[in-house]
């Protein structure tokens, strides 16, 4: 992806205003409160800043937006079928939490942090080894497609079930982005559910974050107001999938 396009999805603001948890109560659960964090609500918009409607998302396309930090990539996917509901998941340290369901009219829209739970492979402007693999495309990572695959070491995650691990080297689900869909069908990110790897990611990819975001402080800016999204093929120059 050209730097010009990449810059389109960088966060515009940095103010930190915690979302009142009561606003999202009923949308997610975590047994001890440590596995979800609310961040400032950010509306999902396209590269020109126009709000995206859940029903307008192309089916089975991987879209990328950065949330809750300016440099942490997330995947937004409109699945072909309704997701499962009330999925019980566990972090690698044994903490339980429940991913409720997809959102939108048919419960098909999901979002996950695109940082692999194994060794943090993630999309960059140069390339991406992690993506949703549509049902019609084969993958070496699992017996069926319609799942999220990290092709670095062939981890497979169930996109319709809270990114539960289906196979490969990963030992816990991808963290989920908690989404709300408003009455007008616009989409809002409000928090992160599940074990995220944000602090490890900031530590491990310092040179890359400096290169792409201009510095660590900029990379750690919290997204506010809106989060721009583009297709993965526009975010990364090369998309590799096995
Ligand atoms: S980094 Fe994703 S499977 Fe290893």
């Amino acid at each position: 992806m050209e730097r010009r396009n990449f810059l389109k999805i960088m966060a515009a603001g940095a103010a930190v205003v915690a979302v009142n948890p009561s606003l999202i109560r009923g949308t997610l659960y975590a047994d001890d409160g440590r596995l979800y964090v609310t961040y400032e609500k950010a509306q999902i918009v396209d590269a020109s800043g126009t709000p995206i409607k859940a029903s307008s998302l192309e089916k089975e396309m991987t879209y990328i937006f950065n949330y809750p930090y300016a440099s942490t990539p997330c995947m937004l996917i409109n699945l072909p079928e309704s997701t499962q509901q009330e999925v019980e998941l566990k972090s690698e340290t044994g903490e339980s939490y429940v991913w409720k369901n997809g959102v939108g009219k048919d419960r098909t829209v999901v979002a996950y942090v695109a940082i692999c739970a194994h060794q943090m492979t993630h999309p960059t402007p140069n390339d991406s080894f992690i993506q949703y693999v549509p049902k019609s495309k084969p993958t070496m990572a699992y017996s069926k497609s319609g799942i999220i695959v990290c092709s670095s070491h062939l981890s497979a995650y169930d996109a319709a079930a809270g990114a539960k691990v289906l196979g490969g080297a990963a030992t816990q689900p991808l963290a989920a982005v908690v989404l709300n869909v408003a009455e007008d069908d616009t989409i809002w990110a409000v928090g992160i559910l599940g074990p995220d790897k944000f602090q490890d990611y900031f530590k491990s990819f310092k040179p890359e974050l400096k290169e792409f975001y201009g510095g660590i402080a900029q990379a750690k800016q919290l997204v506010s107001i809106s989060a721009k999204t583009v297709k993965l093929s526009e975010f990364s120059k090369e998309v590799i999938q096995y």
Side-chain angles (χ1 to χ4, degrees):
M1 183 183 66
E2 290 177 21
R3 187 164 178 82
R4 178 165 45 88
N5 291 332
F6 173 67
L7 290 172
K8 279 184 189 167
I9 75 158
M10 287 182 64
V16 185
V17 182
V19 173
N20 182 335
S22 66
L23 294 178
I24 58 169
R25 196 162 289 147
T27 305
L28 59 89
Y29 313 102
D31 64 352
D32 61 2
R34 283 187 295 153
L35 283 178
Y36 78 87
V37 180
T38 56
Y39 291 91
E40 187 171 0
K41 194 172 170 178
Q43 185 170 34
I44 307 299
V45 300
D46 68 15
S48 66
T50 306
I52 289 181
K53 304 233 171 174
S55 53
S56 72
L57 291 168
E58 235 175 270
K59 285 280 183 187
E60 298 201 274
M61 174 62 64
T62 304
Y63 295 88
I64 300 291
F65 65 102
N66 286 347
Y67 185 82
Y69 299 97
S71 63
T72 47
C74 300
M75 285 175 273
L76 175 69
I77 310 153
N78 189 6
L79 299 171
E81 285 130 27
S82 302
T83 65
Q84 294 180 29
Q85 299 189 70
E86 313 286 337
V87 182
E88 291 185 19
L89 300 167
K90 255 194 181 32
S91 71
E92 61 195 0
T93 52
E95 295 164 295
S96 303
Y97 62 103
V98 175
W99 179 84
K100 193 171 179 188
N101 51 245
V103 296
K105 189 168 65 70
D106 300 318
R107 253 184 22 246
T108 56
V109 177
V110 297
Y112 300 104
V113 176
I115 299 172
C116 182
H118 178 224
Q119 289 180 352
M120 296 190 290
T121 285
H122 58 277
T124 76
N126 294 331
D127 55 42
S128 179
F129 283 76
I130 186 165
Q131 66 172 311
Y132 172 83
V133 178
K135 285 180 115 175
S136 58
K137 282 197 178 170
T139 172
M140 289 164 64
Y142 196 58
S143 52
K144 67 178 179 61
S145 299
I147 60 169
I148 294 166
V149 170
C150 176
S151 292
S152 287
H153 312 95
L154 297 179
S155 284
Y157 301 95
D158 192 339
K164 181 172 69 181
V165 176
L166 296 170
T171 52
Q172 63 182 2
L174 297 173
V177 182
V178 180
L179 299 175
N180 283 346
V181 169
E183 275 184 11
D184 64 359
D185 206 30
T186 54
I187 313 166
W188 301 77
V190 299
I192 300 293
L193 175 72
D196 71 64
K197 293 200 165 246
F198 296 142
Q199 297 313 317
D200 292 341
Y201 170 84
F202 291 138
K203 268 189 222 141
S204 302
F205 298 106
K206 275 185 186 165
E208 179 186 272
L209 295 175
K210 275 187 192 154
E211 179 189 348
F212 295 138
Y213 296 91
I216 298 299
Q218 289 91 327
K220 287 184 175 177
Q221 276 194 333
L222 283 157
V223 173
S224 65
I225 302 168
S226 63
K228 292 188 176 179
T229 187
V230 294
K231 292 177 181 176
L232 175 61
S233 55
E234 294 167 27
F235 184 88
S236 296
K237 254 188 247 165
E238 198 180 358
V239 178
I240 299 104
Q241 187 249 304
Y242 300 121

